Amino acid sequence: MPIVVTGATGQLGRLTVEALLRRGTPAADIIATGRDIARIKDLADRGVTVRRADFADADGLAKVFAGADRLLLISASVPVAERVANHRRVIDAAVSAGVSLVAYTSTTHADTATTVIGATHGETEEYLRGRGIPNVLLRNSWYLENYTSQLPQILQNGAIVGAAGDGRISAASRADYAEAAAVVLTTEGHTGAVYELGGDESFTLPELAAAISAATGEEVGYADLPVTDFARALAAAGLPAELAEVLADADRGMNRGEMYTDSGDLHRLIGRPPMTPAEALAVALHQGLG
């Protein structure tokens, strides 16, 4: 049962390949794809089939997916304006290649989300359904790593800066989302499912700031800004203007509860509690990120 993982050169894709291998999928049955395949040469050395895939290359994608039974479409990290067109090309190529199941990494509440990112996921989901190919929607909430990777800056500033207000966030680790994807790709009974995936322990950004204070012994607060001011702050910190606006808009969605879920789907899929925020902070601090 050959399985394609798109975006295997990225963090979530790489973790999904590793999860598939741990679950006993033969390396030869995994097709890891990405644009810069030099980054996954070690996977090829371990027997994984590695193929270069460019979402902009409609003609080449069907050849890349040839022989695959299932495909994980990890949402593209390209400019927002290009995402849906790229996703459509991948879906079309999967149909042409005769893939029997497409799993797509979407976002929580993609059908009602008001954010720019949410809209691209919603359009992709609609297109996937319209093509008639059997599918599974993996609606991932935020990554815990989006915060733990910023610990040095948070501690230096003495604050988390955002625009999420008191919105609750059901963040989970990339590894747990990858494990869920691997389960869906290697077991039966998921066709047509819509999984709202997130951690068991949600939090607000003020609560996260308090947790960081408790874990480090340093006083950390939460500075809540208007969305436009937060976008300007992100741009001033060096992010490209478009990305800064997208991330600030994501915080606006969090304030509306668009990154919150109490479905328990992630816990059920992986068969254990997902990593908690406290555990993620402990790991990050152990690794010297704080």
Side-chain angles (χ1 to χ4, degrees):
M1 186 179 68
I3 299 169
V4 171
V5 177
T6 72
T9 51
Q11 296 179 78
L12 182 60
R14 155 72 72 153
L15 287 168
T16 301
V17 172
E18 297 289 356
L20 288 169
L21 290 168
R22 283 197 307 274
R23 291 183 60 80
T25 304
D29 281 351
I30 302 172
I31 303 170
T33 74
R35 283 186 295 180
D36 182 9
I37 57 175
R39 296 172 60 183
I40 50 175
K41 180 182 179 300
D42 63 303
L43 293 178
D45 293 341
R46 292 160 63 186
V48 173
T49 300
V50 170
R51 296 176 183 170
R52 186 180 185 279
D54 185 342
F55 284 8
D57 180 11
D59 294 333
L61 286 172
K63 296 178 182 177
V64 172
F65 301 158
D69 180 59
R70 299 185 175 190
L71 182 146
L72 176 65
L73 169 54
I74 294 179
S75 51
S77 57
V78 296
V80 170
E82 301 174 23
R83 294 181 93 200
V84 175
N86 280 341
H87 295 164
R88 287 176 175 174
R89 281 189 284 268
V90 172
I91 294 165
D92 290 344
V95 172
S96 297
V99 171
S100 67
L101 180 73
V102 172
Y104 172 61
T105 61
S106 186
T107 190
T108 43
H109 313 298
D111 51 340
T112 58
T114 64
T115 61
V116 173
I117 292 176
T120 66
H121 287 299
E123 287 183 52
T124 300
E125 288 187 5
E126 184 177 356
Y127 189 78
L128 183 56
R129 286 190 292 266
R131 286 306 315 250
I133 189 169
N135 63 82
V136 185
L137 301 180
L138 302 171
R139 290 180 170 173
N140 295 342
S141 182
W142 220 226
Y143 297 139
L144 286 168
E145 290 88 349
N146 289 344
Y147 299 111
T148 58
S149 66
Q150 298 178 46
L151 272 177
Q153 292 86 358
I154 291 170
L155 293 173
Q156 181 179 351
N157 296 332
I160 298 172
V161 180
D166 289 320
R168 301 204 71 80
I169 304 161
S170 302
S173 70
R174 283 192 183 91
D176 285 340
Y177 290 130
E179 186 71 25
V183 169
V184 165
L185 292 167
T186 56
T187 59
E188 301 301 323
H190 305 287
T191 300
V194 179
Y195 293 120
E196 299 282 354
L197 302 177
D200 289 347
E201 297 184 14
S202 66
F203 56 86
T204 66
L205 291 187
E207 289 171 352
L208 181 62
I212 294 172
S213 297
T216 63
E218 299 188 32
E219 188 63 31
V220 173
Y222 173 55
D224 193 56
L225 301 178
V227 174
T228 53
D229 291 352
F230 184 38
R232 281 195 288 268
L234 291 170
L239 290 183
E242 182 192 28
L243 179 58
E245 291 178 4
V246 167
L247 291 177
D249 184 59
D251 263 38
R252 180 187 62 79
M254 291 175 199
N255 199 8
R256 292 170 50 90
E258 294 179 11
M259 283 291 180
Y260 171 75
T261 177
D262 60 357
S263 71
D265 285 345
L266 181 58
H267 188 148
R268 283 189 291 273
L269 279 176
I270 64 178
R272 57 172 172 77
M275 177 178 281
T276 67
E279 290 167 342
L281 287 173
V283 169
L285 291 169
H286 179 73
Q287 293 174 343
L289 294 180

